[in-house]
Amino acid sequence: MKRGVLERFKEYLPVTDNTPMFSLGEGDTPLVKSRYIGGEVGCEELYFKLEGCNPTGSFKDRGMVVAVAKAIEEGGTRLVCASTGNTSASAAAYGAYCGIPTTVFVPNENVAGGKLAQAITYGASILRIKGNFDAAFRLVVELTKKHPLVLVNSLNPYRLEGQKTAAFEIIEELESAPDYVFIPVGNAGNISAYWMGFKQAHQMEWTSSMPKMMGFEAEGAAAIVKGAPIEEPETIASGIRVGNPANWDKALVARDESGGAIDSVTDDEIMEAYELMARREGIFCEPASAASVAGLLKLSRNGLHLNGGKAVCIITGTGLKDPDIAYSLEPVAMDEYPAKLSAVEKALDLA
Ligand code: F0G
């Protein structure tokens, strides 16, 4: 049985004797070796960390389990978050498991169908805010300052504590830190959490080196790259449609301390990577996750050499979250046939 993030990493998390220990099976996600893209970018050791294999289909579960456990320990009785979809799905699941009422604030547009379906089915209260993620986020922050509600967005430090464990798993599996980590950036919590994890692992001498953190925003939502908040962020990658990242400062620290970069990728580049991941790697990810691979492809085309190095792309969420994007690809033939051998033989040129 999987131990889960709390039990497996308790010595390295703010877990006390009073922290309830539970798990929905988060963590221990696969690190899959690339079959195609690695060769294209001249990197023999390129891996994908499949965070879509977490219980609600995204990396958020690693942080949510810690945030919810600490909320219970500290007497919290109600969870709230703003979300582009994945945080709300995760909060709703862990809230349901622990019997804590959960309220999620989502933008009234651009939330992927699968993510909303999760929040509905897990039984969260859902407030659709007339505005984008940033407006919903400002609102919950204001609300939690005034009322005794537990904020489970990545401003909650326990979220980052939990999410850092993915860095531990990567080091464990590769037996050292990779040279590069490519990661999508939205509210900028995850890049900050990974850097925290790599630094802690380095201090504990689990690795003698640390990776360069390479973060990628979507071009229409690239506040950090442009150096100013974006009022109306736009991108097909709804998961990272964030105009004013809450963890902006921490992401800059991750970039600068690691000697990495934060750059942007266009929607076309994201869709190219999305399709390549599915068709050449067998990995169905959501567009926000494809931003990491799009970033790798972009930097490689611009002359970044990964020869001899190890790189990991963080695949933050599963493609099943957002099937509408899949349907928007170049249509494939899906004709109907009678349920007859001769008919299908003819269709397959086997007659
Ligand atoms: N990938 C996916 C699939 C996401 O859902 C998110 C963020 C990110 C990457 C970026 O991570 O915010 O830590 O920089 N989703 C948030 C949400 C905003 O509400 O679910 P980040």
Side-chain angles (χ1 to χ4, degrees):
M1 198 171 84
K2 265 189 175 183
R3 280 183 293 163
V5 160
L6 285 169
E7 183 60 42
R8 179 159 178 227
F9 295 108
K10 60 181 176 230
E11 291 150 69
Y12 315 106
L13 291 170
V15 166
T16 72
D17 290 345
N18 299 322
T19 312
M21 302 299 273
F22 55 88
S23 173
L24 278 174
E26 65 294 321
D28 257 326
T29 56
L31 191 67
V32 172
K33 192 161 187 199
S34 167
R35 278 313 279 275
Y36 174 77
I37 295 171
E40 290 296 289
V41 300
C43 178
E44 259 174 52
E45 285 203 66
L46 172 66
Y47 299 90
F48 303 111
K49 179 77 170 157
L50 301 192
E51 289 291 286
C53 294
N54 278 298
T56 75
S58 87
F59 69 96
K60 307 284 181 179
D61 298 337
R62 288 181 187 275
M64 200 58 71
V65 71
V66 181
V68 174
K70 294 303 283 187
I72 295 169
E73 181 179 344
E74 291 163 11
T77 53
R78 200 159 161 194
L79 311 177
V80 288
C81 68
S83 180
T84 59
N86 278 328
T87 300
S88 59
S90 186
Y94 285 86
Y97 186 75
C98 296
I100 307 179
T102 303
T103 303
V104 304
F105 289 56
V106 293
N108 60 344
E109 288 176 353
N110 293 301
V111 177
K115 301 176 186 178
L116 205 53
Q118 289 179 292
I120 292 169
T121 312
Y122 290 128
S125 311
I126 302 171
L127 272 64
R128 291 173 64 228
I129 303 303
K130 292 181 184 167
N132 55 27
F133 166 81
D134 301 281
F137 183 70
R138 274 196 301 274
L139 208 56
V140 281
V141 171
E142 213 182 315
L143 192 72
T144 51
K145 279 187 185 147
K146 218 171 146 196
H147 302 279
L149 306 166
V150 182
L151 180 71
V152 293
N153 278 105
S154 55
L155 273 188
N156 180 325
Y158 300 128
R159 278 275 314 278
L160 301 195
E161 287 286 338
Q163 284 168 214
K164 79 182 177 192
T165 60
F168 294 171
E169 289 176 15
I170 291 172
I171 291 171
E172 189 175 53
E173 209 152 341
L174 297 180
E175 295 179 347
S176 69
D179 300 293
Y180 290 92
V181 169
F182 292 83
I183 186 165
V185 174
N187 218 15
N190 212 25
I191 188 171
S192 312
Y194 270 78
W195 184 237
M196 214 164 94
F198 283 118
K199 280 207 298 190
Q200 190 176 345
H202 186 251
Q203 272 158 12
M204 298 187 297
E205 296 181 5
W206 292 359
T207 172
S208 56
S209 65
M210 287 197 279
K212 293 189 191 318
M213 298 302 303
M214 313 298 279
F216 293 90
E217 298 184 300
E219 193 179 72
I224 299 177
V225 174
K226 294 190 174 139
I230 293 172
E231 282 296 317
E232 297 292 339
E234 280 302 340
T235 168
I236 195 162
S238 61
I240 52 171
R241 200 168 182 268
V242 178
N244 191 9
N247 295 289
W248 190 318
D249 293 347
K250 289 198 180 83
L252 292 183
V253 169
R255 178 193 70 185
D256 297 340
E257 286 186 354
S258 74
I262 296 181
D263 199 347
S264 63
V265 284
T266 65
D267 280 3
D268 284 349
E269 288 166 336
I270 288 172
M271 288 308 292
E272 180 201 358
Y274 171 81
E275 214 176 306
L276 266 182
M277 283 296 285
R279 299 202 172 160
R280 306 304 293 260
E281 301 284 1
I283 295 169
F284 186 24
C285 66
E286 65 168 289
S289 309
S292 64
V293 179
L296 166 63
L297 290 166
K298 174 181 170 180
L299 296 196
S300 159
R301 282 175 192 142
N302 290 349
L304 177 74
H305 293 293
L306 295 163
N307 300 5
K310 281 185 197 172
V312 177
C313 290
I314 311 303
I315 307 304
T316 47
T318 167
L320 291 171
K321 296 264 190 183
D322 201 351
D324 288 345
I325 299 290
Y327 297 134
S328 75
L329 294 178
E330 187 81 15
V332 295
M334 290 197 289
D335 299 331
E336 287 187 28
Y337 296 91
K340 279 194 183 142
L341 191 61
S342 58
V344 295
E345 279 177 336
K346 196 162 168 232
L348 298 177
D349 282 332
L350 298 169

